[in-house]
DNA sequence: ATATCGACCTGCCGGC
DNA sequence: TGCCGGCAGGTCGATA
Protein backbone atom coordinates (compact mmCIF):
# COMPACT_ATOMS: atom_id res chain seq x y z
CA UNK A 1 0.00 0.00 0.00
CA UNK A 2 2.57 2.46 -1.03
CA UNK A 3 1.55 6.04 -0.57
CA UNK A 4 3.75 8.44 1.36
CA UNK A 5 3.22 6.93 4.83
CA UNK A 6 3.96 3.44 3.60
CA UNK A 7 7.12 4.56 1.84
CA UNK A 8 8.16 6.45 4.96
CA UNK A 9 7.66 3.34 7.07
CA UNK A 10 9.42 1.18 4.51
CA UNK A 11 12.42 3.49 4.50
CA UNK A 12 12.51 3.49 8.31
CA UNK A 13 12.57 -0.29 8.26
CA UNK A 14 15.26 -0.47 5.61
CA UNK A 15 17.31 2.08 7.52
CA UNK A 16 17.63 -0.26 10.46
CA UNK A 17 19.02 -2.98 8.25
CA UNK A 18 21.07 -1.02 5.75
CA UNK A 19 22.31 2.25 7.18
CA UNK A 20 26.09 2.35 7.54
CA UNK A 21 26.47 -1.08 5.96
CA UNK A 22 28.75 -2.08 3.13
CA UNK A 23 27.03 -3.68 0.16
CA UNK A 24 28.52 -7.03 -0.79
CA UNK A 25 25.96 -7.97 -3.39
CA UNK A 26 23.54 -6.04 -5.56
CA UNK A 27 21.65 -7.97 -8.16
CA UNK A 28 18.70 -7.37 -10.41
CA UNK A 29 16.87 -10.44 -11.70
CA UNK A 30 15.34 -8.70 -14.69
CA UNK A 31 16.25 -5.84 -16.95
CA UNK A 32 13.30 -3.63 -16.16
CA UNK A 33 10.41 -2.84 -13.88
CA UNK A 34 8.32 0.05 -15.11
CA UNK A 35 11.50 1.48 -16.61
CA UNK A 36 14.79 -0.16 -17.54
CA UNK A 37 17.00 -0.86 -14.53
CA UNK A 38 20.40 0.79 -15.13
CA UNK A 39 22.93 -1.74 -16.31
CA UNK A 40 25.65 -0.33 -14.10
CA UNK A 41 23.59 -0.73 -10.93
CA UNK A 42 25.53 -3.74 -9.68
CA UNK A 43 28.89 -2.21 -10.36
CA UNK A 44 28.00 1.11 -8.74
CA UNK A 45 26.56 -0.49 -5.63
CA UNK A 46 28.82 -3.45 -4.97
CA UNK A 47 31.44 -2.49 -2.39
CA UNK A 48 29.81 0.86 -1.66
CA UNK A 49 28.81 1.80 1.87
CA UNK A 50 25.32 3.07 2.56
CA UNK A 51 25.51 6.48 4.19
CA UNK A 52 21.83 7.16 4.72
CA UNK A 53 18.27 6.61 3.56
CA UNK A 54 15.55 9.08 2.79
CA UNK A 55 12.30 9.69 0.97
CA UNK A 56 10.96 12.12 -1.60
CA UNK A 57 7.21 11.86 -2.19
CA UNK A 58 6.61 8.14 -2.82
CA UNK A 59 10.22 7.46 -3.75
CA UNK A 60 12.69 5.84 -1.36
CA UNK A 61 16.31 7.00 -1.49
CA UNK A 62 19.41 5.04 -0.52
CA UNK A 63 22.61 7.09 -0.43
CA UNK A 64 26.10 5.64 -0.78
CA UNK A 65 29.64 6.86 -0.14
CA UNK A 66 30.19 6.98 -3.89
CA UNK A 67 27.85 9.94 -4.06
CA UNK A 68 25.20 7.81 -5.70
CA UNK A 69 21.56 7.60 -4.77
CA UNK A 70 19.58 4.44 -5.42
CA UNK A 71 16.01 5.55 -6.07
CA UNK A 72 13.14 3.12 -5.72
CA UNK A 73 9.42 3.42 -6.27
CA UNK A 74 7.03 0.74 -5.04
CA UNK A 75 4.34 1.34 -7.65
CA UNK A 76 1.11 -0.39 -6.64
CA UNK A 77 2.45 -3.66 -5.33
CA UNK A 78 6.09 -3.18 -4.36
CA UNK A 79 7.47 -4.22 -0.99
CA UNK A 80 10.85 -5.03 0.48
CA UNK A 81 11.29 -8.42 2.07
CA UNK A 82 13.91 -8.58 4.80
CA UNK A 83 16.17 -11.58 5.24
CA UNK A 84 13.92 -13.81 3.15
CA UNK A 85 14.38 -17.52 3.66
CA UNK A 86 14.41 -17.98 -0.08
CA UNK A 87 13.75 -16.03 -3.24
CA UNK A 88 10.14 -15.82 -4.28
CA UNK A 89 8.32 -15.18 -7.48
CA UNK A 90 8.44 -11.46 -8.28
CA UNK A 91 11.59 -10.77 -6.27
CA UNK A 92 13.28 -8.52 -8.81
CA UNK A 93 16.22 -7.06 -6.96
CA UNK A 94 18.38 -7.87 -3.98
CA UNK A 95 20.89 -6.13 -1.74
CA UNK A 96 23.15 -7.99 0.66
CA UNK A 97 25.33 -6.36 3.29
CA UNK A 98 28.68 -7.36 4.78
CA UNK A 99 26.75 -8.15 7.95
CA UNK A 100 24.86 -10.82 6.03
CA UNK A 101 21.53 -9.06 5.93
CA UNK A 102 19.47 -9.29 2.75
CA UNK A 103 16.64 -7.16 1.41
CA UNK A 104 14.68 -8.17 -1.68
CA UNK A 105 12.42 -5.93 -3.69
CA UNK A 106 9.27 -7.81 -4.62
CA UNK A 107 6.77 -6.25 -7.02
CA UNK A 108 4.35 -8.51 -8.83
CA UNK A 109 2.76 -5.83 -10.97
CA UNK A 110 6.07 -4.18 -11.81
CA UNK A 111 4.72 -0.65 -11.70
CA UNK A 112 7.64 0.20 -9.44
CA UNK A 113 11.06 1.40 -10.51
CA UNK A 114 14.73 1.29 -9.65
CA UNK A 115 17.23 3.89 -10.69
CA UNK A 116 20.57 5.29 -9.63
CA UNK A 117 21.82 8.84 -10.05
CA UNK A 118 24.65 11.02 -8.81
CA UNK A 119 23.66 12.69 -5.56
CA UNK A 120 24.36 16.17 -6.89
CA UNK A 121 21.80 15.71 -9.66
CA UNK A 122 18.99 14.42 -7.48
CA UNK A 123 16.95 17.61 -7.57
CA UNK A 124 17.04 17.50 -11.36
CA UNK A 125 16.01 13.87 -11.52
CA UNK A 126 13.42 13.74 -14.26
CA UNK A 127 10.61 12.73 -11.92
CA UNK A 128 11.58 15.17 -9.19
CA UNK A 129 12.20 18.35 -11.13
CA UNK A 130 8.60 19.56 -11.31
CA UNK A 131 7.36 17.92 -8.15
CA UNK A 132 5.35 19.85 -5.58
CA UNK A 133 6.19 20.30 -1.89
CA UNK A 134 6.26 17.54 0.68
CA UNK A 135 2.85 17.60 2.37
CA UNK A 136 4.36 17.21 5.84
CA UNK A 137 6.84 20.04 5.40
CA UNK A 138 6.22 23.55 6.75
CA UNK A 139 6.51 24.72 3.17
CA UNK A 140 3.15 23.14 2.44
CA UNK A 141 0.42 25.41 3.78
CA UNK A 142 -2.89 26.88 2.63
CA UNK A 143 -1.18 29.80 0.89
CA UNK A 144 1.01 27.55 -1.20
CA UNK A 145 -1.88 25.25 -2.01
CA UNK A 146 -4.13 28.11 -3.02
CA UNK A 147 -1.46 29.43 -5.35
CA UNK A 148 -0.96 26.04 -6.90
CA UNK A 149 -4.69 25.67 -7.49
CA UNK A 150 -5.13 29.08 -9.02
CA UNK A 151 -6.58 28.88 -12.51
CA UNK A 152 -7.00 25.11 -12.31
CA UNK A 153 -10.22 23.61 -13.61
CA UNK A 154 -9.78 20.06 -12.43
CA UNK A 155 -11.66 18.85 -9.35
CA UNK A 156 -9.82 18.96 -6.06
CA UNK A 157 -9.38 15.20 -5.90
CA UNK A 158 -7.47 15.16 -9.17
CA UNK A 159 -5.36 18.08 -8.02
CA UNK A 160 -4.35 16.37 -4.80
CA UNK A 161 -3.39 13.25 -6.73
CA UNK A 162 -1.21 15.39 -8.97
CA UNK A 163 2.32 15.07 -7.59
CA UNK A 164 3.26 18.42 -9.05
CA UNK A 165 0.75 20.15 -6.77
CA UNK A 166 1.67 18.26 -3.61
CA UNK A 167 3.91 15.21 -3.62
CA UNK A 168 3.10 11.95 -1.91
CA UNK A 169 -0.67 11.62 -1.67
CA UNK A 170 -2.47 8.72 -3.30
CA UNK A 171 -6.03 7.55 -3.70
CA UNK A 172 -6.56 6.41 -0.12
CA UNK A 173 -5.26 9.42 1.73
CA UNK A 174 -6.82 11.89 -0.67
CA UNK A 175 -10.23 10.33 -0.01
CA UNK A 176 -9.55 10.36 3.71
CA UNK A 177 -8.27 13.93 3.86
CA UNK A 178 -11.16 15.28 1.78
CA UNK A 179 -13.59 13.54 4.08
CA UNK A 180 -11.89 14.87 7.19
CA UNK A 181 -11.95 18.37 5.72
CA UNK A 182 -15.58 18.08 4.64
CA UNK A 183 -14.78 18.89 1.03
CA UNK A 184 -16.45 17.11 -1.90
CA UNK A 185 -14.01 15.28 -4.19
CA UNK A 186 -15.42 17.05 -7.22
CA UNK A 187 -15.29 20.53 -5.71
CA UNK A 188 -13.80 23.00 -8.15
CA UNK A 189 -10.28 23.56 -6.84
CA UNK A 190 -10.05 27.20 -7.66
CA UNK A 191 -13.25 28.06 -5.84
CA UNK A 192 -12.46 26.49 -2.48
CA UNK A 193 -12.27 29.21 0.16
CA UNK A 194 -9.10 29.91 2.08
CA UNK A 195 -10.52 28.73 5.42
CA UNK A 196 -11.50 25.45 3.81
CA UNK A 197 -8.04 25.09 2.31
CA UNK A 198 -6.60 25.65 5.77
CA UNK A 199 -8.79 22.84 6.99
CA UNK A 200 -7.75 20.65 4.06
CA UNK A 201 -4.05 21.18 4.66
CA UNK A 202 -4.48 20.29 8.31
CA UNK A 203 -6.48 17.19 7.36
CA UNK A 204 -3.77 16.07 4.96
CA UNK A 205 -1.10 16.44 7.60
CA UNK A 206 -3.17 14.69 10.26
CA UNK A 207 -4.10 11.79 8.00
CA UNK A 208 -0.53 11.22 6.88
CA UNK A 209 0.96 11.63 10.32
CA UNK A 210 -1.40 9.14 11.90
CA UNK A 211 -0.82 6.66 9.11
CA UNK A 212 2.92 6.91 9.65
CA UNK A 213 2.41 6.45 13.37
CA UNK A 214 0.30 3.35 12.70
CA UNK A 215 2.94 2.02 10.32
CA UNK A 216 5.60 2.69 12.88
CA UNK A 217 3.91 0.33 15.25
CA UNK A 218 4.41 -2.55 12.82
CA UNK A 219 8.12 -1.91 12.31
CA UNK A 220 8.86 -4.88 14.52
CA UNK A 221 7.46 -7.09 11.77
CA UNK A 222 9.87 -5.64 9.32
CA UNK A 223 12.86 -7.34 10.92
CA UNK A 224 11.18 -10.71 11.23
CA UNK A 225 12.85 -13.47 9.22
CA UNK A 226 9.91 -13.63 6.91
CA UNK A 227 9.04 -10.03 7.54
CA UNK A 228 7.27 -8.07 4.95
CA UNK A 229 5.99 -4.56 4.86
CA UNK A 230 2.49 -3.66 4.05
CA UNK A 231 0.21 -4.34 6.95
CA UNK A 232 -1.09 -1.13 8.36
CA UNK A 233 -4.08 -0.44 10.50
CA UNK A 234 -7.02 -0.05 8.16
CA UNK A 235 -8.84 2.52 10.19
CA UNK A 236 -10.03 4.47 7.20
CA UNK A 237 -13.14 6.57 7.56
CA UNK A 238 -14.39 6.29 4.00
CA UNK A 239 -11.89 4.44 1.80
CA UNK A 240 -13.16 0.95 1.00
CA UNK A 241 -16.30 1.54 3.06
CA UNK A 242 -18.98 1.88 0.41
CA UNK A 243 -22.40 1.39 1.93
CA UNK A 244 -21.18 1.69 5.50
CA UNK A 245 -22.41 4.42 7.76
CA UNK A 246 -20.42 7.62 8.01
CA UNK A 247 -20.08 9.33 11.39
CA UNK A 248 -22.85 11.70 10.35
CA UNK A 249 -25.29 8.85 9.79
CA UNK A 250 -25.34 8.97 5.99
CA UNK A 251 -24.06 6.17 3.78
CA UNK A 252 -20.56 6.23 2.35
CA UNK A 253 -20.74 6.39 -1.43
CA UNK A 254 -18.37 5.10 -4.07
CA UNK A 255 -17.93 6.65 -7.46
CA UNK A 256 -15.43 6.13 -10.24
CA UNK A 257 -13.57 9.20 -11.45
CA UNK A 258 -11.24 8.74 -14.39
CA UNK A 259 -10.89 5.09 -13.63
CA UNK A 260 -10.27 5.41 -9.92
CA UNK A 261 -12.60 4.74 -7.01
CA UNK A 262 -13.61 7.71 -4.94
CA UNK A 263 -15.15 7.10 -1.54
CA UNK A 264 -16.99 9.98 0.06
CA UNK A 265 -19.95 11.08 2.12
CA UNK A 266 -22.31 13.27 0.15
CA UNK A 267 -23.74 14.69 3.34
CA UNK A 268 -20.63 15.89 5.14
CA UNK A 269 -18.56 16.67 2.08
CA UNK A 270 -19.65 19.69 0.07
C1' DA B 1 -0.15 24.97 -20.20
C1' DT B 2 -3.86 21.89 -18.77
C1' DA B 3 -7.26 18.05 -18.58
C1' DT B 4 -8.36 13.44 -19.80
C1' DC B 5 -7.50 8.76 -20.72
C1' DG B 6 -5.18 4.57 -22.23
C1' DA B 7 -1.46 1.73 -21.06
C1' DC B 8 1.61 -0.79 -18.33
C1' DC B 9 1.34 -5.75 -15.17
C1' DT B 10 -0.29 -9.66 -12.05
C1' DG B 11 -3.47 -11.57 -8.87
C1' DC B 12 -7.76 -12.13 -6.64
C1' DC B 13 -12.66 -12.34 -6.10
C1' DG B 14 -17.41 -12.92 -7.34
C1' DG B 15 -20.69 -14.48 -10.65
C1' DC B 16 -22.22 -17.66 -14.05
C1' DT C 1 -14.15 -26.53 -11.96
C1' DG C 2 -13.23 -22.94 -15.18
C1' DC C 3 -13.71 -18.68 -17.55
C1' DC C 4 -14.60 -13.73 -17.57
C1' DG C 5 -15.10 -9.18 -15.99
C1' DG C 6 -13.90 -5.99 -12.64
C1' DC C 7 -10.93 -4.25 -9.37
C1' DA C 8 -6.41 -2.95 -6.86
C1' DG C 9 -2.35 1.54 -2.97
C1' DG C 10 0.61 4.77 -9.37
C1' DT C 11 1.68 7.76 -12.97
C1' DC C 12 3.67 8.47 -17.49
C1' DG C 13 2.98 10.03 -21.99
C1' DA C 14 -0.06 10.65 -25.92
C1' DT C 15 -3.84 13.28 -27.25
C1' DA C 16 -7.11 17.17 -27.70
Amino acid sequence: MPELPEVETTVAGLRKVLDGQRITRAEAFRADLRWPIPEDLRQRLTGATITGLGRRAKYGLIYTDRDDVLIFHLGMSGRWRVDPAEMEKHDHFLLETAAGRVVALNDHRRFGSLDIVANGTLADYRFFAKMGPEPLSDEFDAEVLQKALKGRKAPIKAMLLNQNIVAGLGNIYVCEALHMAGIAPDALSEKISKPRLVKLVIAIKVVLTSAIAAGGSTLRDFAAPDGELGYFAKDWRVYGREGEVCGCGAQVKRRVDSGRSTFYCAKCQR
Side-chain angles (χ1 to χ4, degrees):
Chain A
M1 29 170 75
E3 296 184 34
L4 183 154
E6 290 71 34
V7 179
E8 181 71 23
T9 306
T10 295
V11 166
L14 287 176
R15 185 176 290 120
K16 294 200 300 188
V17 179
L18 298 179
D19 201 10
Q21 302 300 309
R22 190 169 57 86
I23 298 168
T24 51
R25 184 178 169 212
E27 190 167 357
F29 302 112
R30 53 177 299 128
D32 61 83
L33 292 174
R34 178 170 188 183
W35 310 111
I37 296 171
E39 289 179 17
D40 60 355
L41 203 61
R42 179 209 291 253
Q43 169 249 316
R44 282 167 81 166
L45 291 173
T46 307
T49 294
I50 293 170
T51 54
L53 290 89
R55 177 190 59 73
R56 173 71 173 114
K58 299 173 195 171
Y59 290 85
L61 309 171
I62 301 176
Y63 298 85
T64 80
D65 61 351
R66 292 177 184 168
D67 267 343
D68 278 333
V69 190
L70 179 66
I71 306 171
F72 67 84
H73 194 291
L74 298 174
M76 294 276 263
S77 56
R79 63 202 173 108
W80 285 94
R81 304 199 306 122
V82 176
D83 297 330
E86 53 195 59
M87 289 295 102
E88 277 179 12
K89 194 175 178 183
H90 306 307
D91 284 342
H92 304 308
F93 177 72
L94 166 156
L95 279 179
E96 185 169 348
T97 70
R101 305 297 299 275
V102 173
V103 292
L105 178 63
N106 185 286
D107 181 5
H108 67 86
R109 292 179 74 181
R110 304 204 301 274
F111 287 171
S113 62
L114 268 180
D115 210 346
I116 190 165
V117 303
N119 194 0
T121 70
L122 194 59
D124 304 320
Y125 185 54
R126 61 177 179 139
F127 300 132
F128 291 177
K130 297 177 65 183
M131 208 173 244
E134 285 288 324
L136 290 178
S137 69
D138 291 340
E139 187 197 339
F140 179 65
D141 59 19
E143 301 263 321
V144 165
L145 182 57
Q146 189 167 49
K147 246 178 217 166
L149 296 179
K150 196 170 180 207
R152 296 299 212 120
K153 299 303 174 202
I156 187 65
K157 189 196 176 205
M159 288 292 93
L160 295 179
L161 286 172
N162 182 337
Q163 306 294 296
N164 296 331
I165 300 291
V166 55
L169 296 177
N171 205 32
I172 294 177
Y173 296 115
V174 164
C175 289
E176 292 298 306
L178 285 171
H179 180 262
M180 186 177 288
I183 297 172
D186 58 353
L188 183 59
S189 311
E190 210 180 12
K191 296 280 177 78
I192 301 174
S193 71
K194 189 67 170 294
R196 303 187 79 209
L197 289 182
V198 170
K199 207 172 169 188
L200 178 56
V201 166
I202 291 170
I204 288 169
K205 289 177 192 269
V206 166
V207 161
L208 294 179
T209 304
S210 10
I212 290 171
S217 67
T218 69
L219 275 184
R220 180 189 305 267
D221 298 331
F222 186 92
D226 229 8
E228 68 181 47
L229 288 173
Y231 355 102
F232 297 93
K234 295 187 176 178
D235 51 0
W236 303 320
R237 293 162 31 142
V238 284
Y239 189 86
R241 296 199 182 280
E242 180 184 15
E244 293 183 36
V245 180
C246 169
C248 75
Q251 263 198 358
V252 174
K253 306 258 194 201
R254 172 178 177 271
R255 190 178 63 212
V256 176
D257 299 311
S258 54
R260 313 212 57 194
S261 286
T262 302
F263 297 90
Y264 64 105
C265 172
K267 188 175 169 196
C268 29
Q269 293 176 253
R270 305 280 173 168

